[in-house]
Amino acid sequence: SPSDAPPPPPTPRAWTAFADAPFAPSIANALASAGFPSPTPIQQRAWPVACDGADVVAVAKTGSGKTLAFLLPIFHQMIMAKKAAAAAAAAA
C-alpha cells in the first residue's frame, strides 16, 4: 500500500552557480566561454540529483535548459570514467 512506501530521499541543495557543480574543467570552461551567467532553475535542481546517480524526471518549458540539465552530468561522468580508465592503464 502507498503508506508502506519509504519516504523519498531529501532533495539536494540546488546548485545556483556553475562553481557549485563538480563538473570536469572542460565542461566548466565551455560554460564560461558560452557566456551563460548561471544555471537555469531546471539545471539548478536536476544537476545535484543526476550527479548523485539518481534518476531525474523533470518538466519545464521549451528553452528552459532541460537538454543541458540532463546532458552535462552524463558528459561529466563520461569524462571522469575516461580519466579513471587512463589512470588505471598507466598504473598497470
Side-chain angles (χ1 to χ4, degrees):
S1 77
S3 62
D4 295 335
T11 303
R13 181 184 65 82
W15 294 342
T16 57
F18 291 123
D20 294 337
F23 294 140
S26 58
I27 293 174
N29 293 339
L31 289 169
S33 295
F36 293 114
S38 61
T40 66
I42 191 72
Q43 293 163 352
Q44 292 175 14
R45 291 292 188 190
W47 286 342
V49 175
C51 287
D52 279 347
D55 293 337
V56 175
V57 177
V59 177
K61 292 182 179 183
T62 299
S64 63
K66 290 185 304 293
T67 301
L68 288 181
F70 289 102
L71 287 179
L72 288 188
I74 294 168
F75 290 158
H76 172 72
Q77 185 178 24
M78 291 171 59
I79 290 166
M80 299 312 289
K82 183 177 179 181
K83 286 183 179 183

